[in-house]
Amino acid sequence: MKVMQSPHLDPMRHARFVAFLFAVLAVGLLYGCGGDPKTRARRYAESGDQYFRQQKYREASIQYSNSVQANPNLAEVHYKLAQCFLKLGIWQEANRELLRTLELQPENPEARVDLGNLFLGARQFRQAQAEAELVLKQDPRNVDAHILRANALAGQDNLRASLQEMQTAIQLAPELSRAYWNLGMLQLGANQSVAAEQSFKKALEIDPNSSATRLSLGGFYQRQRRWADAEQQFRRAIELEPGNVQARDALVLLYLAQADKSKAEQAAREAKLALRDSSEGYRLLGDYYFRVADIEKAIGEYASLLNDHPRDLRVKKNYVELLILRNRLDEASRLNAQILKENRSDVDGLISQAQILYRQGRPNDAIPVLESALKFEPDNAVGHYQLGVAYNLLGNLGRAEAEWRESARLRPNLVSAQEALANLALRKGDASLLELSGQNLVQGQPLSAAGYVYRGMARIQRGDRARGEADLLKAIEVAPQDPLGYARLAAWRASQKRYKDAETLYEQALTRNPDQVDALEGVVGLYVDQKQLAKALARVDAQIARSPQNSAYYYSRAKLLAGMANLEAAETALQKAVELNKNYADALVLLGFVEFARGKVDQSIASYERNLQQNPRDLRSYMVLAQLHEMLGNWQKAQQLYERALQAQTDYPPAAASLAYILLDHGGNSDVALSLAQVARRGLPDSPLSADVLGWAYYQKGTYGLAADLLQEAVRKAPENPHFHYHLGLTYQKLQNTKLAREHLSRVLQLNPQYPRGEEIRRALAQLGGD
């Protein structure tokens, strides 16, 4: 039969139609073999074998699935189906089919070793060891089982036993290349660098065409900064397997490790061209831009990819993530809606939807979406991480920490979760949590600076300065082109008053990344500490010349200028910062302050309102804008802004206190005001403000004894605040303590002769017998 193609038919749709037609014909032929299930199962399996030999694993998996549906008791077909799922990276289905294989054929050593390797990948090392030992009980000479047991022991930090087990495997199979490769990997973990190199070379001597071994040897050379040797191995791996995405990605990362962005970008471009039929391959260039934090180029590249590959779901999902990062939420929402329209339970789509919601200032709406995603995939580490972010935005740090810990447990090398825990630890001053997060990052990403930095900071906080400093130095050693290690070691040197060393390290960080904001802030801080403001400003200007598109540097310039009382120049710098990054909350907040200080009240209000449009969860802007409206006499508008702040964070103490004052002073609901005052007190238990507002709420409720205790605390902690004396004076008047009432009301007028309620106070004093 000849299939005619319409001249108007989309070629992609035509190809899919032809593939579908042949699949239908194949099924028809198979069913034409008769109704005997065993015959159908055999024919499906034979068809699956043909696809498997052609490395068409998805098609093979369909045929093997048809086979076991026709005859569920075929252990060998269940095992072949598991092999397909392993090739496709569908781990849960592979696990299910391996378990079914072993249910039907308990003594299948290959299936048991494969199951053990799945346990190994899930970091379930004891289960992996148990599977290996079951095989070895049947066959003590099974090499794959010895290798599995060696890796399981290494995962449990029993390196000595692990290496002994690998030597046993090699004695049993001295010509097995991958055994020497595995030995080399274990020797690396045991810091036996010389032995590891010898093992890798032995593996290549046996099998010079092993791209996996060449990648491992190249990675070893990269860790030793033997750049040319590493490049040689990676390029040879690419020659052996031009379609090997891992080899091409390794080459990109090698150039990045040397801070050679031009070569890295070129390698990514070459990969995209060579692997035009592989999603992982043609995405390498866009992923490169993401790695180097050039989000605009990444967005441009992914927009182009989506145009060329509109049915590539991973391209669409990555593009959505990039748009979210740039707060282009309307575009992200439209694309993500397409993903969810095709599959309402798409977990990635649900997670992206939640991110869009909380970036729109709706974390309460994001939480049920994330919970829905986690019902479909309870072990999704990214979902737990994002749920932690949503709870954090609501101020629920306990739930946030619990979700981040679960995320880190599920995927210890998930950088975002470990960094969230580390930053939480820094906020809480929790050195134990900070060290744990750092340790997990070190184990999961031993070539990354972040883990050593966090662990080093924690050790320094705990007084273990020698080991802490050693970690900071190690961060530089393992990642010499990463500015993070230099910047953190510089901060440590600055705290030791070793200013010259700190300056050198900060400059080294900026050499490696001209956009390393915290490094420039560190240098500027050194000059400011030494009262060298002009030098600090000159250094910022020099960095702006190197990175004229970095909005944060204009913000740094503005802060310096504001500190030097040059408000006009500070305003100009802030306008430039906001021009470069319209979502720059810090710059917009400071711009509003500078405009107010220059008497531009309307512009100041506009800047804060603009910031809230771009950053609807910026609590600072709600508070300052509300206070501006209060100052202008518009307490109703101020009340609305405090309420919006509490919608963004339900237990935000300053907003709760301010809203309580407005309700109490303008005839609002006193019960609501009391509840808000209690929120403020819980959040700020040592603050005189929270003591005063709760005392004032009790006063309005007629509970004068409780009010007096709290108001006395407020006055004791802030004796120069006339409002606190006013509230306490009125309370003593209600308690008929004439002397103390007169004392505190008189103090109000001493502190502020123009106090807004001065006439009321004078009348009260007259009644009390005062002046």
Side-chain angles (χ1 to χ4, degrees):
M1 180 178 69
K2 184 176 181 180
V3 179
M4 300 297 294
Q5 180 179 352
S6 163
H8 303 294
L9 188 64
D10 175 15
M12 289 294 292
R13 290 185 178 178
H14 171 69
R16 288 197 298 273
F17 173 74
V18 171
F20 172 75
L21 181 60
F22 277 109
V24 170
L25 288 173
V27 171
L29 289 170
L30 287 168
Y31 274 103
C33 296
D36 179 26
K38 291 184 178 180
T39 302
R40 290 204 310 274
R42 178 172 56 80
R43 292 294 179 88
Y44 277 126
E46 289 171 352
S47 175
D49 291 342
Q50 291 178 5
Y51 282 124
F52 195 92
R53 285 192 292 271
Q54 298 167 23
Q55 298 183 5
K56 295 181 178 179
Y57 303 117
R58 193 170 298 279
E59 291 85 348
S61 71
I62 293 171
Q63 298 299 72
Y64 290 141
S65 294
N66 289 332
S67 178
V68 295
Q69 282 179 8
N71 186 353
N73 297 320
L74 295 173
E76 68 277 8
V77 181
H78 280 288
Y79 181 62
K80 289 176 180 179
L81 182 54
Q83 294 297 299
C84 289
F85 289 137
L86 288 172
K87 294 287 187 183
L88 294 166
I90 306 174
W91 313 120
Q92 288 182 334
E93 294 298 316
N95 182 75
R96 180 171 61 82
E97 291 302 322
L98 288 170
L99 289 172
R100 179 61 176 150
T101 302
L102 290 168
E103 190 180 309
L104 296 167
Q105 201 175 60
E107 296 186 358
N108 184 323
E110 292 84 5
R112 199 163 291 284
V113 168
D114 286 341
L115 181 62
N117 281 316
L118 278 181
F119 283 132
L120 204 64
R123 301 178 66 84
Q124 297 176 14
F125 301 120
R126 291 188 183 278
Q127 293 94 319
Q129 182 180 344
E131 296 298 330
E133 289 171 352
L134 281 172
V135 175
L136 291 171
K137 188 175 181 180
Q138 299 169 21
D139 178 10
R141 297 182 62 81
N142 188 300
V143 175
D144 290 328
H146 280 291
I147 292 174
L148 171 60
R149 187 171 188 272
N151 291 328
L153 288 168
Q156 297 170 73
D157 294 325
N158 192 345
L159 296 178
R160 183 176 179 180
S162 170
L163 291 170
Q164 288 176 347
E165 192 72 22
M166 272 310 304
Q167 292 293 352
T168 300
I170 288 173
Q171 288 170 10
L172 290 168
E175 297 304 314
L176 186 63
S177 172
R178 62 185 174 83
Y180 287 97
W181 169 80
N182 206 114
L183 176 61
M185 297 299 291
L186 293 175
Q187 287 166 331
L188 275 182
N191 293 318
Q192 299 178 9
S193 299
V194 175
E197 182 176 6
Q198 291 172 349
S199 296
F200 289 139
K201 286 183 173 179
K202 179 65 177 177
L204 286 176
E205 181 184 317
I206 296 170
D207 182 8
N209 294 326
S210 169
S211 58
T213 305
R214 291 194 178 276
L215 284 173
S216 297
L217 183 56
F220 167 78
Y221 288 142
Q222 181 174 333
R223 280 188 286 272
Q224 293 196 324
R225 286 180 262 179
R226 293 164 61 179
W227 308 120
D229 291 337
E231 182 177 3
Q232 181 184 16
Q233 294 302 325
F234 293 153
R235 287 200 174 277
R236 180 62 181 141
I238 291 170
E239 289 173 12
L240 291 166
E241 288 187 61
N244 189 321
V245 177
Q246 186 183 1
R248 292 184 179 275
D249 194 35
L251 190 61
V252 173
L253 292 173
L254 174 68
Y255 291 135
L256 281 178
Q258 300 172 75
D260 193 336
K261 290 185 178 181
S262 61
K263 281 188 176 180
E265 183 175 359
Q266 182 58 33
R269 287 187 183 280
E270 289 171 2
K272 178 184 176 181
L273 187 63
L275 306 177
R276 59 172 64 91
D277 295 326
S278 162
S279 177
E280 287 185 324
Y282 58 64
R283 284 191 277 113
L284 273 180
L285 182 59
D287 293 344
Y288 159 78
Y289 290 132
F290 176 76
R291 278 175 175 147
V292 297
D294 193 338
I295 303 301
E296 293 306 321
K297 279 191 177 180
I299 286 175
E301 175 64 15
Y302 264 97
S304 174
L305 287 175
L306 187 60
N307 184 64
D308 295 339
H309 307 279
R311 300 301 301 170
D312 188 324
L313 193 58
R314 179 43 56 193
V315 166
K316 187 176 288 188
K317 289 179 177 181
N318 287 4
Y319 187 35
V320 167
E321 285 294 307
L322 289 165
L323 291 171
I324 291 172
L325 283 176
R326 272 290 177 262
N327 265 353
R328 290 166 58 175
L329 302 181
D330 290 342
E331 297 169 75
S333 187
R334 284 195 296 272
L335 273 177
N336 201 57
Q338 295 174 16
I339 294 170
L340 291 173
K341 184 178 180 181
E342 291 186 18
N343 180 6
R344 293 179 61 186
S345 58
D346 187 292
V347 172
D348 293 331
L350 290 169
I351 291 172
S352 292
Q353 182 186 4
Q355 290 182 74
I356 292 166
L357 287 168
Y358 71 60
R359 281 177 174 259
Q360 290 173 333
R362 299 162 59 191
N364 277 315
D365 295 332
I367 287 173
V369 176
L370 287 164
E371 289 174 340
S372 174
L374 290 169
K375 284 181 182 176
F376 293 117
E377 286 187 18
D379 294 339
N380 189 298
V382 175
H384 284 285
Y385 164 72
Q386 295 292 355
L387 185 55
V389 173
Y391 277 119
N392 183 50
L393 289 170
L394 289 170
N396 191 338
L397 295 184
R399 282 300 302 272
E401 181 176 347
E403 294 298 332
W404 288 334
R405 283 185 183 273
E406 178 65 6
S407 176
R409 184 191 69 80
L410 291 166
R411 198 193 300 179
N413 63 346
L414 183 62
V415 175
S416 54
Q418 297 292 357
E419 289 189 338
L421 286 169
N423 288 320
L424 180 62
L426 288 170
R427 287 163 61 186
K428 293 168 61 177
D430 187 340
S432 297
L433 177 58
L434 183 60
E435 185 167 5
L436 176 63
S437 299
Q439 181 63 30
N440 286 336
L441 281 170
V442 167
Q443 290 177 349
Q445 296 193 317
L447 295 181
S448 169
Y452 298 101
V453 164
Y454 288 132
R455 192 173 71 181
M457 292 169 64
R459 286 173 171 173
I460 288 170
Q461 283 183 22
R462 299 174 78 171
D464 190 352
R465 297 182 176 185
R467 292 176 70 206
E469 183 168 320
D471 269 336
L472 296 178
L473 290 167
K474 185 69 174 179
I476 294 173
E477 178 190 332
V478 301
Q481 297 304 324
D482 190 329
L484 179 62
Y486 298 92
R488 290 299 184 181
L489 183 57
W492 170 234
R493 292 287 181 254
S495 72
Q496 296 172 307
K497 307 298 182 185
R498 294 169 59 177
Y499 292 128
K500 193 63 182 175
D501 292 342
E503 182 178 355
T504 300
L505 287 161
Y506 280 132
E507 294 295 352
Q508 286 177 307
L510 287 164
T511 298
R512 284 155 178 79
N513 181 5
D515 292 312
Q516 186 73 13
V517 175
D518 61 340
L520 181 65
E521 289 278 329
V523 175
V524 169
L526 292 176
Y527 295 146
V528 171
D529 286 348
Q530 298 171 76
K531 313 297 184 188
Q532 299 175 357
L533 296 182
K535 190 174 182 180
L537 186 61
R539 183 63 190 85
V540 172
D541 287 341
Q543 201 64 26
I544 287 174
R546 291 179 64 192
S547 296
Q549 300 305 305
N550 190 317
S551 59
Y553 289 162
Y554 291 96
Y555 176 65
S556 297
R557 187 173 202 274
K559 287 192 294 183
L560 278 170
L561 289 165
M564 298 164 70
N566 189 344
L567 296 182
E568 183 178 359
E571 184 177 348
T572 300
L574 289 165
Q575 287 170 341
K576 181 64 176 178
V578 172
E579 176 189 323
L580 291 169
N581 180 2
K582 66 179 182 179
N583 302 320
Y584 199 163
D586 289 344
L588 283 164
V589 168
L590 184 56
L591 178 59
F593 172 81
V594 169
E595 287 168 336
F596 177 77
R598 297 191 69 202
K600 300 179 177 181
V601 178
D602 290 342
Q603 290 95 318
S604 175
I605 289 173
S607 292
Y608 288 118
E609 288 177 340
R610 178 181 173 188
N611 185 37
L612 288 174
Q613 288 176 355
Q614 303 295 336
N615 303 289
R617 294 194 54 78
D618 191 293
L619 297 171
R620 299 166 300 175
S621 291
Y622 286 116
M623 295 302 295
V624 176
L625 193 54
Q627 288 160 15
L628 280 173
H629 282 293
E630 276 198 87
M631 181 193 71
L632 295 171
N634 189 352
W635 63 265
Q636 294 94 339
K637 179 65 175 177
Q639 178 177 340
Q640 293 171 7
L641 287 161
Y642 291 133
E643 288 169 346
R644 287 174 60 192
L646 288 168
Q647 288 171 6
Q649 183 174 320
T650 53
D651 59 352
Y652 185 51
S658 297
L659 182 55
Y661 277 129
I662 284 183
L663 294 175
L664 294 168
D665 292 342
H666 294 280
N669 187 313
S670 60
D671 292 327
V672 173
L674 178 59
S675 176
L676 288 165
Q678 289 168 336
V679 168
R681 185 64 171 170
R682 284 195 299 270
L684 297 169
D686 299 321
S687 165
L689 178 72
S690 69
D692 179 76
V693 72
L694 184 55
W696 190 230
Y698 281 132
Y699 173 90
Q700 299 283 3
K701 297 292 290 181
T703 314
Y704 303 119
L706 286 175
D709 291 340
L710 287 159
L711 295 170
Q712 286 167 1
E713 178 188 333
V715 167
R716 185 173 66 253
K717 289 180 175 178
E720 303 302 309
N721 188 307
H723 300 294
F724 297 171
H725 284 282
Y726 173 64
H727 294 156
L728 184 54
L730 293 183
T731 302
Y732 280 133
Q733 186 179 21
K734 291 292 186 181
L735 290 170
Q736 298 183 357
N737 189 329
T738 304
K739 179 182 177 183
L740 289 178
R742 187 167 53 246
E743 177 185 324
H744 287 285
L745 290 174
S746 298
R747 184 62 177 149
V748 174
L749 297 177
Q750 292 170 7
L751 290 168
N752 182 4
Q754 304 301 319
Y755 192 73
R757 295 186 176 179
E759 287 303 316
E760 178 185 330
I761 292 171
R762 290 184 180 91
R763 285 196 299 270
L765 286 170
Q767 292 173 2
L768 293 166
D771 296 333

